Amino acid sequence: MTTALLIVDMQNFVTDRINQGVEMFPHNAIDNMRTILEIVRNSMIPVIHIRHHSTEEGSLLHHSSPLSQPVKGFEEKQGEPVFVKNTSSAFSSTGLLTYLKDHQLSTCIVIGAVAGFCVTSTIRAGADAGLKMTVIQDAVISFALKDGEPGAKTILDVTLALLAADFATVVTTKELNEQLSKKPKPRP
């Protein structure tokens, strides 16, 4: 098996922003992520969790903050590794690349938050490292910037267009499900 699912930064800060009314897009992204997580786990594809923790005490993403904890339903299951980063890219401050190489994983399916920041940084760094990167366009969350401009959809559209131009394959949840249903399931 050469494929793994990377779940980037699905932590309570995401739902906190949504609950505060920050514009987000796509509106069904979290439901799509849950669908993908179930499909991937049922397909016996390895799941890797990426979490952002700030080293700064008092930060919303400091490990002691409730907002740094995983969103309900995105907790790791037994055997699923968690890489904790303190940079935008999951590759810059973790042993993720070594782990992927050691486990002969050369393709990464990426879902999570936030599209214009940690998701794009992770995808670009993975592509630069020679990995085949796939991003699920309706399973990554984009937020509007501080004053609402540009909006969440615009940021997502531009981010995905740039990633598709040179760094990743961009597919929908439905397309991924169709691709995975065609592959024979590995034996445990």
Side-chain angles (χ1 to χ4, degrees):
M1 178 175 313
T2 63
T3 301
L5 175 69
L6 300 184
I7 303 172
V8 178
D9 297 351
M10 280 308 294
Q11 296 162 254
N12 288 330
F13 79 90
V14 171
T15 52
D16 185 62
R17 281 188 190 175
I18 294 166
N19 292 339
Q20 288 181 22
V22 176
E23 180 198 358
M24 61 95 59
F25 189 84
H27 303 288
N28 60 345
I30 293 176
D31 290 337
N32 288 338
M33 285 185 235
R34 286 189 171 111
T35 297
I36 289 167
L37 186 53
E38 182 180 350
I39 291 166
V40 164
R41 283 177 171 152
N42 289 338
S43 298
M44 305 297 290
I45 292 172
V47 175
I48 300 171
H49 302 263
I50 310 299
R51 304 226 176 94
H52 193 117
H53 284 176
S54 171
T55 56
E56 190 177 313
E57 287 210 32
S59 164
L60 296 177
L61 289 175
H62 188 267
H63 70 85
S64 63
S65 169
L67 296 180
S68 74
Q69 300 308 305
V71 170
K72 185 174 175 147
F74 291 93
E75 303 89 352
E76 69 276 8
K77 290 197 172 189
Q78 185 173 352
E80 294 177 350
V82 176
F83 289 89
V84 177
K85 63 184 180 65
N86 57 21
T87 56
S88 183
S89 166
F91 291 97
S92 296
S93 57
T94 72
L96 178 60
L97 184 58
T98 300
Y99 179 88
L100 293 171
K101 287 181 178 182
D102 288 350
H103 290 83
Q104 300 176 344
L105 299 166
S106 58
T107 300
C108 296
I109 300 166
V110 181
I111 63 174
V114 173
F117 293 88
C118 296
V119 169
T120 194
S121 297
T122 296
I123 291 168
R124 286 173 179 243
D128 286 347
L131 300 169
K132 181 179 179 208
M133 305 299 286
T134 298
V135 60
I136 312 306
Q137 70 184 32
D138 55 356
V140 291
I141 294 175
S142 180
F143 289 109
L145 293 183
K146 196 172 192 169
D147 294 325
E149 288 298 325
K153 184 178 185 320
T154 299
I155 292 170
L156 183 64
D157 289 346
V158 171
T159 298
L160 293 174
L162 291 169
L163 290 173
D166 201 31
F167 300 98
T169 301
V170 178
V171 300
T172 64
T173 298
K174 181 180 177 187
E175 290 167 334
L176 177 67
N177 189 19
E178 289 168 359
Q179 290 172 13
L180 293 178
S181 66
K182 291 178 188 175
K183 291 183 178 182
K185 291 188 172 58
R187 297 179 197 269

